[in-house]
Amino acid sequence: MTDRPSVLFVCVHNAGRSQMAAGFLSTLSEGAVEVRSAGSMPGEQINPVAVAAMAEVGIDIAGEQPKKLTEQAVLESDVVITMGCGDECPYFPGKRYEDWVLDDPAGQGIESVRPIRDEIRTRIEALLASLTPAAEA
């Protein structure tokens, strides 16, 4: 990894889980981590319930747009976090891969999305600690 690690979050539509994860990592790392997100089959727009759930914790992802997963995005990332994209995610040796099993917020109400959001935050905090151990010392 470089001095500034980079993380790519991938899910199918890049409209919920991966966008929430990117929002948390961008905010919690305060710019110390380069953050990307993409989808194997990007949706038309970000899930409005995911936007609302993130707004509740003070993170604005309303301006984001779903993006198509590219090999270039994977190549430029040190860590690739998949969230249900299955075999769609290209594999390159030397990258750190993690698969996070999370419920899909698509079609769910805010009461169901809040626990998903909170689980993502917990995982992001652990990921951030693993990426920036020197900052802790």
Side-chain angles (χ1 to χ4, degrees):
M1 285 189 289
T2 62
D3 289 343
R4 185 171 176 235
S6 58
V7 176
L8 170 63
F9 295 100
V10 182
C11 66
V12 176
H13 300 296
N14 189 222
R17 295 167 289 188
S18 56
Q19 292 286 355
M20 289 191 288
F24 272 127
L25 186 55
S26 293
T27 300
L28 297 176
S29 74
E30 299 177 338
V33 177
E34 185 177 357
V35 180
R36 299 178 178 87
S37 70
S40 53
M41 297 183 329
E44 294 292 316
Q45 65 180 23
I46 300 259
N47 180 338
V49 180
V51 171
M54 292 300 285
E56 289 180 348
V57 296
I59 298 174
D60 182 7
I61 62 170
E64 298 297 326
Q65 287 295 314
K67 295 168 279 308
K68 175 77 175 149
L69 175 64
T70 65
E71 285 190 5
Q72 190 64 33
V74 176
L75 283 169
E76 293 174 354
S77 301
D78 298 308
V79 181
V80 179
I81 309 285
T82 59
M83 304 171 177
C85 74
D87 296 332
E88 295 291 321
C89 190
Y91 177 83
F92 294 98
K95 303 289 176 192
R96 174 177 157 192
Y97 286 87
E98 292 184 21
D99 185 44
W100 292 359
V101 178
L102 298 162
D103 290 335
D104 188 347
Q108 298 194 48
I110 191 82
E111 294 297 327
S112 298
V113 173
R114 285 181 184 127
I116 299 168
R117 175 202 63 204
D118 295 344
E119 173 69 15
I120 291 170
R121 182 184 188 123
T122 299
R123 291 175 185 237
I124 291 297
E125 289 168 346
L127 174 66
L128 187 56
S130 77
L131 292 174
T132 56
E136 305 291 321

